[in-house]
Amino acid sequence: MRQIAIFASGSGSNFQALVDAVQGGTLKANIRLLVCDQPGAFVIQRAQSAGIPVFAFRAKDYEDKQAFEREILHQLELEGVDFIVLAGYMRLVGHTLLESFGGRIVNIHPSLLPAFPGKDAIGQALEAGVKITGVTVHYVDAGMDTGEIIEQEIVRISTGETRDSLQEKIQHVEHYLYRTTLNHLFLTTGY
Ligand code: GAR
């Protein structure tokens, strides 16, 4: 069974979907730790309600990325984590984590990469006027949403679509796509 850490920065609806999937037996993994870079984020309350340990930190309390990633690594080791799942973690992963977990870090992104990487992918898609966007699950490398794509699903943008309605459609897809993709990955790669 995979021992995973979930990294998140905000509301944590994807975190919650993964917790629910583990509890419901549809995701075969143990969630050992939430790592959060925003100590006030709602995702922390979600973890506490689910009884999942939290490591929350502020980047500015550390000298640099290497320093806080070393601390994260230490926490991951303490919890026996062997796989990292980014779920709305709004920070580039640095070489300290990549060197230890290379090939064992995945991310979910609210667009069909390589379109609309980085922040506010939903706003970028609306601004561009495209009729199709979607969700991507991909491996994490040193770039901004540039790692190898594992799975994608299309979301259509309707006439009159608002930011809120599109976000709702995308998050609905994210919540099952992450679970099914991780299950498949764990089964087929031995992770
Ligand atoms: C999700 O839509 C996720 O795809 C996105 O942040 C949101 C977090 O929502 N991630 C990125 O944009 C990464 N570049 P949540 O906190 O409700 O799970």
Side-chain angles (χ1 to χ4, degrees), residues 10-14 88 90 107-110 118 145 171 174:
S11 148
S13 72
N14 279 283
M90 295 307 189
N107 182 40
I108 192 159
H109 184 78
D145 302 321
Q171 292 217 323
E174 287 186 336

Side-chain angles (χ1 to χ4, degrees), residues 125 128-133 154-161 166 169:
V130 295
K131 294 293 173 199
I132 290 173
T133 185
I154 286 170
V155 174
R156 289 192 174 275
I157 300 181
S158 315
T159 309
E161 191 86 58
L166 182 55
K169 277 155 78 172

